[in-house]
Amino acid sequence: MNAPGGLHRYFTERARAAGSSTAAIEPGQGSITYAQLDHLSDRVRDRLVACGVQRGDRVGIYLPKSIDALAVMYGALKAGAAYVPVDAGAPSARCAYILQDCKVRVAFVDAAHAEKFDAEARPLGELPVVVTVAPAAGGQGVRGALDQADRIAEAPPAATVASRPSDLAYILYTSGSTGKPKGVMLSHDNAVSFVDWCSEVFEPTPSDRFSSHAPLHFDLSILDVHVCLKHGATLVLISDDLGKDALRLAQLIAGERITIWYSAPSILALLAQFGQLKRHDHRSLRHVLFAGEVFAVKHLRSLCEQWPGPRYFNLYGPTETNVCTYHEVVPPVPEDRTKPYPIGRVCSHLRSRVLDEHGADVPRGSEGELCIAGRGVMKGYWGLEEQTARGFHRDAEGTPWYRTGDVVVEDETGCYTYLGRRDRMVKRRGYRVELGEIEVGLYRHPRIREAAVVATTDADGGVAIHAFLSSREPKHPSLIEMKRFAAEQLPLYMLPDRYVWLDALPKTSTDKVDYQRLKGMT
Amino acid sequence: MSQAIMQSIKDYIMGEFLPGEDPAELTPTTPLISGGILDSIATLKLVMFVEETYGVNFEPHEVDKENFDTLDAIVTLLRSKISTVAP
């Protein structure tokens, strides 16, 4: 590993070398230098150690994207713990489940969610130590919470832990097919090998200004945060609300002079359509990176026309490996091109192969499942040994190859094209969505008798989610009621686009829901 | 005038985003964005509809959950716009 001591060493070294540089900005609200963030995360470390956190423990981050959240992230790593970020905008029952599932010892929870978290987490087991953080810019929320705790009992200074490569650095929860999210365990070596690959390919410098568009529980944030802070660049934190608003985002990219942008294609498609990009000066942009789903070619073409300056990279990879293949799209996008761009060739720190359903390599040019091995591949799923075992193919030498579930075809240059999935998972706005998790959410409605969800692809390559339902009562719940109910149960990116009521769902001869027939009804 | 504006925006939302729904279910205080009825693309489409229909322009900071979460809120914002552009 090129960062002895762990992922956080990259940041602490940079803080020592250039402490007065700006590490992160909350646009229009606050900012923090490397030295200040280093100091604040030291204080978080001290408090965590005082709370009994040891190497290998987990620390929950239930905070909106903020300098506060960055301080907790680095504080947890310095204490030798893995950080576990949750989506502060998701239903609190989901967040409580995640933090209790991996048994975080301490959770930093923002004041707006503290009460609900307590109510949801209590029935699930012993509560972690909760540090409540009041909303404040520039890291003042966490500082205030630490000051308050120090007034009761001061946290003595602790040493920063030199993590081993195999120690867990963070756990990211993704959608699970059983209806419960599952935790992907990533080690320091997983993270560092990925960060180093990014350094090689994107060559960041201290004068770069990275967007932080993806939420912190999304694996895109690993590039944003850790690559940016490794290189002494400035991270521009974009709040969830602002992140969905094409008009204000276009303004922000110009105002903050972003140089490296990274997001799911869906927001770039929104920017291309609704962002009125010509009204702004976006010449600072030098890289536009996108990942998480297929970028509809017509929107990519329009974006490249409006932003002719930057280099464009299509990055591909599941949370279990982070980015594992990449492809540079060189504008202009030809007028007659309708096929999405390939996901590209495998990254230099990883190896790839394409296997058939029996685990045998398929000849180049044939379809098969993309499998990945190497330093970037996860340790496994938290507490799910069987699923972990199923997730890997072991070759004759015992090397674990992560089975992505993605069906690809390799061309003669070693470049992969994505064809589809082997299972019921879809990608939406860059997020993984297990359709089974949506079904479980809809089933919680007391008047729903049956629920089945299917996904279809629209002409732009986007995913539409159709919910087929039957009701326990003759008058079924209204569409508005279902939409409101679903919004309380599920994260936004899982909400169905369409609800269809049937007297009863069609069944196969073995009395299972007939998904093929439902697909025919979309 | 507010009644007519509200009806026209309601008709648009019903037709575009709630096809087949009983119009009585969509009230002036039904939460549109926080209630999961309008996602970010739907909100932008609604903004464009209102801008084109009433000849107004919303500033980027005005297009938020506070101003667009209910029919009541949209009509209030729109009325303040119309009264400032009216001669």
Side-chain angles (χ1 to χ4, degrees), chain A residues 241 244-248 251 270 274 276 279 429 475 478-481 483-485 487 492 495 497, chain B residues 17-19 21 25-26 30-31 34-37 39-41 44-45 48 58 60-61 63-65:
Chain A
D241 273 356
K244 293 179 202 131
D245 184 332
L247 289 167
R248 284 162 72 205
Q251 216 170 39
L270 274 185
F274 304 106
Q276 302 177 4
R279 286 169 54 175
R429 295 179 205 164
K475 186 173 172 357
S478 73
L479 181 56
I480 290 175
E481 183 182 339
K483 285 190 173 221
R484 291 182 70 173
F485 178 77
L492 282 178
L495 299 180
D497 299 292
Chain B
F17 312 117
L18 294 169
E21 179 62 307
E25 297 281 343
L26 180 59
T30 303
S34 55
I37 295 168
D39 64 12
S40 48
I41 296 180
L44 285 171
K45 284 184 176 168
M48 282 169 71
F58 294 111
H61 69 267
V63 181
D64 61 12
K65 211 185 265 180

Side-chain angles (χ1 to χ4, degrees), chain A residues 374-429:
Chain A
R375 285 176 59 195
V377 178
M378 68 157 180
K379 294 177 71 142
Y381 300 111
W382 177 267
L384 299 170
E385 280 165 28
E386 219 173 284
Q387 281 201 42
T388 301
R390 273 205 309 272
F392 287 97
H393 164 83
R394 287 196 182 266
D395 64 17
E397 284 83 49
T399 305
W401 290 82
Y402 173 66
R403 304 174 52 174
T404 64
D406 288 329
V407 179
V408 300
V409 62
E410 185 183 6
D411 71 13
E412 59 288 348
T413 67
C415 195
Y416 294 112
T417 295
Y418 172 80
L419 300 175
R421 288 287 303 172
R422 296 194 84 127
D423 52 23
R424 294 187 68 219
M425 193 190 88
V426 296
K427 293 299 273 290
R428 201 161 182 236
R429 295 179 205 164

Side-chain angles (χ1 to χ4, degrees), chain A residues 213-478:
Chain A
H213 180 269
L216 299 176
H217 61 277
F218 194 178
D219 63 347
L220 273 66
S221 69
I222 304 304
L223 189 157
D224 302 336
V225 175
H226 299 296
V227 177
C228 173
L229 297 185
K230 172 186 173 184
H231 289 276
T234 299
L235 186 65
V236 180
L237 300 168
I238 302 170
S239 67
D240 282 358
D241 273 356
L242 185 59
K244 293 179 202 131
D245 184 332
L247 289 167
R248 284 162 72 205
L249 263 186
Q251 216 170 39
L252 177 129
I253 294 168
E256 293 293 341
R257 303 183 318 282
I258 303 277
T259 63
I260 299 184
W261 174 272
Y262 187 26
S263 73
S266 44
I267 187 63
L268 288 168
L270 274 185
L271 277 168
Q273 293 172 85
F274 304 106
Q276 302 177 4
L277 302 181
K278 292 280 182 224
R279 286 169 54 175
H280 304 280
D281 180 358
H282 289 145
R283 281 174 301 177
S284 61
L285 277 170
R286 65 183 195 90
H287 289 327
V288 173
L289 319 177
F290 48 90
E293 63 192 332
V294 173
F295 200 154
V297 172
K298 70 171 185 186
H299 299 312
L300 177 57
R301 181 185 300 115
S302 158
L303 185 71
C304 293
E305 283 165 5
Q306 296 177 75
W307 282 349
R311 291 172 72 187
Y312 291 83
F313 291 90
N314 182 18
L315 309 183
Y316 156 87
T319 306
E320 287 84 344
T321 65
N322 213 314
V323 173
C324 59
T325 70
Y326 71 113
H327 176 77
E328 181 167 3
V329 174
V330 182
V333 176
E335 274 306 319
D336 56 353
R337 186 180 182 107
T338 52
K339 222 172 64 176
Y341 278 90
I343 56 172
R345 58 188 70 251
V346 70
C347 302
S348 56
H349 65 302
L350 296 166
R351 289 180 295 148
S352 60
R353 64 202 287 193
V354 182
L355 302 179
D356 66 15
E357 62 268 34
H358 309 295
D361 291 283
V362 302
R364 186 171 275 180
S366 299
E367 291 181 14
E369 181 179 12
L370 180 63
C371 297
I372 301 291
R375 285 176 59 195
V377 178
M378 68 157 180
K379 294 177 71 142
Y381 300 111
W382 177 267
L384 299 170
E385 280 165 28
E386 219 173 284
Q387 281 201 42
T388 301
R390 273 205 309 272
F392 287 97
H393 164 83
R394 287 196 182 266
D395 64 17
E397 284 83 49
T399 305
W401 290 82
Y402 173 66
R403 304 174 52 174
T404 64
D406 288 329
V407 179
V408 300
V409 62
E410 185 183 6
D411 71 13
E412 59 288 348
T413 67
C415 195
Y416 294 112
T417 295
Y418 172 80
L419 300 175
R421 288 287 303 172
R422 296 194 84 127
D423 52 23
R424 294 187 68 219
M425 193 190 88
V426 296
K427 293 299 273 290
R428 201 161 182 236
R429 295 179 205 164
Y431 288 93
R432 273 152 66 147
V433 177
E434 290 282 4
L435 300 178
E437 188 170 354
I438 303 178
E439 289 169 356
V440 172
L442 296 174
Y443 262 118
R444 292 195 194 112
H445 192 292
R447 284 159 69 198
I448 298 293
R449 194 178 59 197
E450 295 173 297
V453 172
V454 299
T456 54
T457 307
D458 64 25
D460 286 347
V463 168
I465 293 176
H466 310 256
F468 290 89
L469 304 163
S470 70
S471 169
R472 292 182 189 280
E473 295 163 16
K475 186 173 172 357
H476 61 71
S478 73

